[in-house]
């Protein structure tokens, strides 16, 4: 059947397919309401090109809690691939996904279809993100379909896909058919009923069903249509259709055979236009029909049918593949016994496959009926639940669950679980920005566990306490507890705890400028990498980054943060992502890369479920950038960061937020109003031994004429500036490649220095500081104050020099750096430096983007 | 969505682009890709200053759109439109 009003979509899909065949893989996202024809479009398209390409197909199911990676199973079957075995053997997901990509490469060109993504589990979403990001290097077209009304704007998939260049990804929103099209269609069936368009709203499925059916009275709704068709078949057939309607997805042949006696009933239903058979499985002709039938069942009937299917599934020899389906039917029948027996199993399975959202949901399902379980069983479920809350950053939920565990343990003696629970609670409280409470609980954990036979939990508790002190930069306490942790962990042979503690000790030392800390930190990293302690290795990278960031070794810091992010992606660590991002953004801010810093911070800001501690730096970074640009909405963000950082306990965040807030006040000439706030912070920071932390706050106190005496420990550039040696200070900032701080130092200098400061501020877009200094210059009677970046529509406002424009154009034509060097008679190295600067100014990250930018630039002469 | 007033200063009188409809469409596309919508502008007699009203989710969206369309940005202020009705007792001014 030819599809109406879909020609343009087919044409564009074809274009995408041809790009893919030419080696530039593409993603097509097809969305629309139910019945709008997404599947029809995909089928029509794939049929068109079926001789020119392989097709691998998978779909997501409408399960109460979806089965992890369900479509991957389908795809693996159609590819005759063995990656499912890898998955079940416990190979990490990123490796499995990479293996899939390799297999796709071997079977090029191909089209991969994943349908009904609105029902996808977390792992499937990760798979789609993984493929979408990389597909442009393969001869593949990835088509995904979803119902737009079931996926809101903030859905993680939409956010992830919005980052992919429109060169590789196209969205197809299928509209309903127009009135004209409906009339035409009706005419071709010999009907002239004008009410069809109104009745169906242009929904293609409904329209074709109505027209092909030839009913005497055109039914008003799909429900009526379904009822009409059901009434035409025998009772046995109707019963079969009803039972199929409660089964999510398709009904496999073996299941069909267990549910019915005579295949005739299926044939009848096919004849009547309700069911269809594909690849031996029975399914409804359309989801909408299935829903209509299911909704028409009485409560009692629905219960009975779900129960029947449930019992069949439970009787299978190997129930592992059916866990999610078992839970689905059990929750429909409120079958407590089945739920508490199998939900934890389903949760563990989902967790194993990285579908933590689903694991969480399974635990929650089990907990719904928890009062009927023994305390011991409840405890086990709650423990799993807390763990999944932690992994999905549902901090408040996790804290509540720990409270529930506390209650249970009141009359169920289990000191090990009690101690463990206090320790977990302590971590969660820290993430929630409640450092003091977190400390209380880890101490409680230690008190509970220390009288028992020494174990891993006690050692880990020592290390967690050491960690709290490390972040607060109370060096001696951190070292003391860290050493205790190491001693115990060595006697217990627990290298994981040892690695954790070494990190705390090393970081503590480095924060207080004791360079011997590097040894411990590197040892921690080595031990973690060796033993696959993924989270600890990641934390080691992060802390190595942080210590460098403090000292403004920005390139080093950036390297470590990038490594941390890459590592966490590779090893599938979900939580680390958020932590590193804030610090990575802070590094970019110091480097003067404000757009990047802002964008990175904004992605955290936009997300839901971000723990308090991970929100702080992004808020403060976005706030200070706005303040520096004199844009609206600065103080709102800075104040929010300020509120959150108070109970947070981490010196790094405290210093960055307070310094940012002070600067924002200074930029509007109101620093005196913020002095009390700064002084309070200063008292806390002085207790750390960190010259950079102390220096940053001392600097702003000095700017506000409130620094009573120069502190003993203070980092050099700040010291020089406070002493009045602005020139030496500016030089150091320049060497450290911190342009904004360099300009701040210069602005305290002579006329020439101030002019240079204004130039730097203008280049960065720091209008607030620029205006402040210009005012200062005017007041001191300085003439010839620079007017600021003059904007002409002929110039490129990104501030590229002539040479850089030249190089940009050459990059856009596809020449390599050495080819460009040859052409312009300069060294490859010089070209590389220029390209790096150009990318930075234009906020792009690849030559492809450069090319796109040049070609779409409208004001080229 | 918030509205922003953007002040711009041009060194030379900006020329109108030569390709008419095509340019208009690409201008609007550049804006909409950044989620910014140009409502209207006020321009000075010598055309060197303009004051533009945009609707956008954040000031950064406005800046991104400006960069794509090669327009300068001097200052962004969040604004609301008011008219003499604010004098009425039940206005939310």
């Amino acid at each position: 059947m030819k599809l109406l009003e879909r020609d343009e979509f087919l044409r564009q899909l074809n274009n995408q397919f041809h790009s893919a065949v030419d080696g530039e893989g593409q993603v097509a996202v097809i969305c629309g309401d139910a019945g709008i024809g997404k599947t029809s479009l995909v089928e029509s398209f794939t049929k068109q090109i079926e001789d020119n390409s392989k097709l691998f197909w998978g779909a997501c199911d409408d399960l109460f809690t979806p089965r992890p990676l369900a479509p991957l199973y389908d795809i693996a079957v159609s590819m005759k691939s063995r990656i499912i075995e890898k998955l079940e053997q416990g190979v990490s997901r990123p490796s499995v996904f990479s293996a899939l990509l390799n297999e796709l490469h071997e079977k090029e060109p191909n089209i991969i279809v994943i349908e009904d993504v609105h029902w996808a589990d977390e792992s499937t979403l990760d798979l789609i993100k993984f493929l979408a990001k990389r597909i442009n290097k393969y001869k593949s077209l990835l088509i995904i379909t979803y119902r737009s009304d079931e996926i809101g704007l903030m859905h993680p998939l939409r956010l992830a896909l919005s980052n992919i260049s429109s060169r590789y990804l196209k969205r197809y929103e299928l509209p309903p058919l127009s009135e004209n099209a409906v009339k035409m269609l009706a005419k071709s069936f010999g009907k002239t009923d004008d009410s069809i368009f109104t009745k169906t709203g242009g929904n293609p499925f409904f329209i074709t069903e109505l027209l092909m059916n030839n009913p005497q009275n055109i039914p008003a709704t799909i429900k009526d249509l379904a009822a009409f068709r059901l009434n035409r078949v025998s009772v046995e057939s109707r019963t079969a259709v009803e039972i199929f309607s409660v089964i999510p997805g398709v009904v496999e042949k073996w299941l069909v055979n267990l549910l019915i006696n005579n295949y005739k009933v299926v044939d009848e239903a096919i004849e009547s236009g309700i069911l269809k058979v594909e690849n031996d499985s029975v399914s409804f002709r359309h989801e909408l029909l299935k829903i209509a039938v299911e909704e028409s069942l009485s409560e009692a009937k629905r219960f009975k049918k779900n129960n029947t299917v449930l019992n069949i599934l439970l009787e299978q020899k190997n129930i592992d593949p059916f866990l999610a389906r078992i839970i689905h039917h059990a929750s429909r029948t409120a079958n407590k016994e089945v739920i508490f027996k199998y939900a934890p199993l389903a949760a563990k399975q989902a967790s194993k496959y990285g579908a933590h959202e689903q694991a969480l949901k399974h635990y929650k399902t089990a907990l719904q009926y928890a009062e009927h379980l023994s305390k011991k069983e409840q405890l086990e479920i709650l423990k799993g639940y807390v763990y999944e809350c932690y992994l999905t950053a549902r901090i408040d939920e996790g804290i509540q669950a720990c409270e529930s565990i506390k209650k249970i343990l009141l009359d169920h003696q289990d000191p090990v679980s009690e101690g463990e629970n206090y320790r977990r609670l302590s971590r969660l409280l820290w993430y929630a920005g409640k450092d003091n409470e977190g400390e209380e609980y880890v101490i409680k954990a230690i008190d509970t566990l220390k009288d028992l036979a020494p174990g891993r939990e006690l050692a880990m508790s020592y290390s967690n306490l050491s960690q709290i002190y490390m972040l607060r930069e109370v060096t001696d306490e951190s070292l003391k507890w860290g050493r205790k942790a190491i001693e115990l962990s060595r006697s217990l042979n627990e290298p994981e705890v040892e690695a954790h503690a070494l990190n705390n000790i090393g970081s503590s030392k480095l924060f207080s400028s004791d360079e011997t800390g590097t040894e411990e930190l590197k040892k921690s990293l080595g031990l973690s990498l060796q033993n696959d302690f993924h989270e600890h290795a990641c934390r080691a990278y992060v802390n190595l980054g942080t210590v460098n960031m403090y000292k403004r070794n920005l390139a080093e810091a950036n390297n470590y943060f990038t490594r941390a992010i890459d590592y966490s992606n590779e090893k599938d660590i979900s939580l680390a992502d958020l932590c590193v991002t804030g610090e990575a953004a802070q590094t970019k801010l110091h480097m003067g890369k404000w757009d990047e810093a802002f964008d990175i911070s904004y992605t955290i800001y936009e997300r839901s479920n971000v723990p308090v501690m991970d929100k702080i730096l992004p808020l403060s970074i976005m706030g200070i950038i706005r303040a520096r640009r004199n844009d609206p909405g600065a103080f709102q963000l800075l104040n929010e960061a300020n509120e959150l950082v108070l109970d947070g306990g981490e010196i790094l965040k405290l210093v960055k937020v307070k310094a940012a807030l002070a600067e924002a006040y200074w930029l509007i000439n109101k620093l005196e109003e913020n002095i009390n706030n700064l002084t309070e912070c200063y008292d806390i920071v002085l207790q750390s031994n960190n010259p950079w932390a102390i220096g940053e706050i001392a600097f702003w106190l000095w700017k506000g004429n409130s620094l009573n005496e120069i502190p003993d420990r203070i980092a050099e550039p700040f010291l020089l500036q406070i002493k009045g040696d602005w020139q030496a200070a500016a030089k150091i900032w320049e060497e450290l490649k911190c342009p904004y701080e360099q300009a701040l130092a210069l602005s305290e200098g002579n006329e020439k220095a101030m002019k240079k400061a204004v130039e730097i501020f203008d280049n960065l877009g720091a209008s607030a500081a620029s205006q402040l200094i210009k005012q200062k210059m005017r007041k001191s009677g300085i003439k010839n104050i620079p007017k600021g970046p003059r904007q002409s529509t002929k110039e490129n406002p990104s501030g590229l020099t002539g040479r850089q424009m030249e190089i940009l154009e050459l990059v856009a034509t596809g020449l390599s750096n050495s080819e460009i060097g040859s052409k312009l008679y300069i060294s490859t190295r010089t070209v590389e430096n220029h390209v790096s600067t150009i990318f930075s100014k234009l906020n792009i990250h690849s030559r492809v983007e450069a090319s796109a930018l040049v070609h779409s630039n409208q004001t080229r002469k | 969505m918030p509205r922003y007033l953007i002040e711009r200063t041009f060194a030379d009188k900006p020329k109108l682009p030569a390709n008419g409809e095509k340019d208009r469409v690409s201008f609007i596309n550049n804006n909409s890709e950044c989620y910014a919508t140009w409502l209207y502008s006020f321009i000075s007699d010598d055309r060197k200053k303009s004051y533009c009203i945009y609707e956008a989710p954040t000031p950064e969206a406005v800046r991104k759109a400006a960069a794509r369309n090669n327009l300068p940005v001097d200052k962004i202020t969040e604004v609301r439109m008011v008219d003499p009705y604010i004098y009425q007792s039940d206005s939310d001014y």
Side-chain angles (χ1 to χ4, degrees), chain A residues 648-820:
Chain A
E650 196 180 329
I651 296 287
L652 172 72
K653 292 179 171 128
L654 183 70
V655 164
K656 295 299 174 189
V657 170
K658 298 290 182 181
L661 195 56
E663 186 191 329
Y665 274 96
W666 175 72
L667 286 171
I668 55 170
N669 269 323
K670 292 202 171 146
L671 186 51
E672 335 78 64
E673 287 179 28
N674 194 39
I675 290 298
N676 283 337
N677 196 334
L678 259 185
T679 316
E680 265 176 48
C681 162
Y682 190 51
D683 290 334
I684 300 175
V685 172
L686 272 176
Q687 291 170 33
S688 78
N689 289 318
N690 190 331
W692 288 88
I694 293 172
E696 203 157 351
I697 304 295
F699 172 75
W700 287 106
L701 275 173
W702 168 74
K703 278 291 239 192
N705 296 319
S706 301
L707 186 67
N708 296 325
E709 57 177 15
I710 299 181
D712 292 327
R713 302 185 63 114
I714 174 172
E716 209 188 341
F718 296 118
L719 178 63
L720 287 167
Q721 185 130 31
I722 291 174
K723 277 195 181 153
D725 191 350
W726 54 268
Q727 211 163 7
K731 189 143 196 296
I732 294 188
W733 287 123
E734 190 181 12
E735 278 161 18
L736 290 173
K737 301 215 172 67
C738 296
Y740 191 77
E741 285 80 356
Q742 177 194 0
L744 279 179
L746 287 170
S747 68
E748 301 272 350
N750 56 27
E751 179 177 332
K752 183 166 171 223
M754 285 199 273
K755 287 192 171 154
K756 174 91 185 150
V758 166
E759 188 189 318
I760 297 177
F761 284 140
D762 284 339
N763 275 339
L764 287 169
S767 348
S770 176
Q771 276 168 34
L772 212 61
I773 306 309
K774 285 179 197 166
Q775 248 173 33
K776 187 174 168 191
M777 289 200 281
R778 254 174 256 136
K779 279 207 184 117
S780 10
I782 297 177
K783 314 268 178 224
N784 294 330
I785 298 171
K787 284 223 162 85
R790 281 273 98 188
Q791 291 298 339
S792 147
T793 49
K794 280 185 248 162
E795 275 170 30
N796 190 318
S798 342
L800 293 187
T801 64
R803 182 57 129 189
Q804 286 165 350
M805 281 307 307
E806 216 180 318
I807 292 183
L808 176 62
E809 300 215 47
L810 292 173
V811 166
T813 61
L815 293 179
S816 70
N817 287 345
S818 52
E819 283 166 344
I820 294 176

Side-chain angles (χ1 to χ4, degrees), chain A residues 57 61 247-252 255 278 281-284 290 325:
Chain A
W57 181 93
D61 289 332
I247 300 175
V250 306
V251 190
E252 303 99 325
L255 187 52
E278 244 168 27
S281 303
V282 173
S283 56
F284 282 73
K290 182 183 192 171
R325 287 164 74 168

Side-chain angles (χ1 to χ4, degrees), chain A residues 272-336:
Chain A
S272 182
I274 306 174
L275 299 176
K276 67 177 186 216
V277 171
E278 244 168 27
N279 301 327
D280 276 352
S281 303
V282 173
S283 56
F284 282 73
R285 280 199 56 226
H286 196 283
E287 186 63 29
L288 290 174
L289 278 174
K290 182 183 192 171
I291 294 175
V293 173
E294 206 243 348
E295 281 178 1
S296 71
L297 298 174
S298 66
E299 278 299 317
K301 251 190 181 169
R302 192 179 301 140
F303 185 96
K304 191 155 162 254
K305 313 255 174 200
N306 270 294
N307 214 23
T308 308
V309 180
L310 177 61
N311 287 327
I312 292 181
L313 291 175
L314 287 173
E315 280 164 12
Q316 299 311 303
K317 275 209 202 83
N318 178 18
I319 50 140
D320 272 351
F322 304 119
L323 280 173
R325 287 164 74 168
I326 287 172
I327 300 297
H328 174 91
H329 293 293
S331 55
R332 291 281 156 94
T333 53
N335 189 326
K336 305 182 208 104

